[in-house]
Structure formats: C-alpha cells, structure tokens
Amino acid sequence: MTTSEKKFHISARISEYAIPPLKDMLVLGKDAPIGCIAMRRAIELLIKTPFEHIELEDEIISDVLVRQSILRRVSRERLVDFVITQLKPLMGSDEVLQAEVDINVFLSAGIASEAIDR
C-alpha cells in the first residue's frame, strides 16, 4: 500500500487595517465600475472627514472627490488643472485612482515700518 503525503504552506503579511481607507482624493474615470454617487455614499459611511465633489467635463475623467481641507490650501481650479495635466495621462476611463496629496504652502509677512519704530 502506497501512502501519499500532502503538505500545505500558508503565509500572510499582517498589518493594521487603515481607517480611513481613503486619504485625500479619488479620481473617477467616465467608465469606472463604480459611479460617483455610490462612491460618495460609501465615503460618507466610512469616513468622518468631509469630501468635496468636483464634476469634470472630460473624455477620461468624470469626477474628483477631494478632502475639503485640501481645498483650503489650494484653489479648486489649480487642483483640477493638476488632475488634468498630471493624473489624466496615467489613467484609463475605466479606472478609479486614489491619490495622497501633499501641498506645501510657503507664507511670509512683512513687518510695517511703524511697528519697528515703536
């Protein structure tokens, strides 16, 4: 009688589940498998941070969902320009891209001469 031997090897990489699953911005293609309304509802259920909806008239991109705090640092127009010029060439109309956005704002203020004289 012959005996056969089975061996199993299971490996897993474990990490903490990230909440929120979305950090800064989603860019939805026109033919994406999930629409903007469904995605907005899912975001509202999963994330407390408010997101702004930007609808685009474009042949590839239909919508951008962006964290409202991002729009306090950069104008809507500049963000849309960035999405069109930088992200659009990287995506197809059937995709949904997630982006982490780093915005550096450099501030400077002059001191009035009367403040110095005091």
Side-chain angles (χ1 to χ4, degrees), residues 8-105:
F8 294 92
H9 175 77
I10 299 174
S11 64
R13 188 173 60 111
I14 307 296
S15 63
E16 186 176 347
Y17 179 67
I19 298 287
L22 165 64
K23 293 201 180 242
D24 297 323
M25 183 170 65
L26 277 181
V27 181
L28 288 88
K30 278 197 173 292
D31 303 317
I34 186 166
C36 183
I37 293 171
M39 185 58 78
R40 285 178 70 186
R41 285 185 184 151
I43 289 171
E44 288 171 4
L45 291 172
L46 294 171
I47 303 171
K48 290 183 181 180
T49 306
F51 276 74
E52 185 83 22
H53 174 225
I54 301 172
E55 194 171 346
L56 300 180
E57 295 292 327
D58 186 74
E59 66 278 0
I60 302 290
I61 299 171
S62 66
D63 301 277
V64 175
L65 296 171
V66 62
R67 206 164 29 100
Q68 281 182 356
S69 61
I70 299 282
L71 294 176
R72 283 194 295 271
R73 294 181 192 99
V74 66
S75 72
R76 207 177 171 112
E77 293 75 26
R78 283 197 179 176
L79 184 70
V80 167
D81 182 58
F82 177 80
V83 167
I84 295 295
T85 59
Q86 302 298 315
L87 299 182
K88 178 181 170 180
L90 303 175
M91 72 181 292
S93 65
D94 62 338
E95 293 181 295
V96 176
L97 294 184
Q98 173 177 285
E100 287 187 42
V101 180
D102 289 322
I103 297 173
N104 296 305
V105 179

Side-chain angles (χ1 to χ4, degrees), residues 108-113:
S108 66
I111 299 174
S113 63

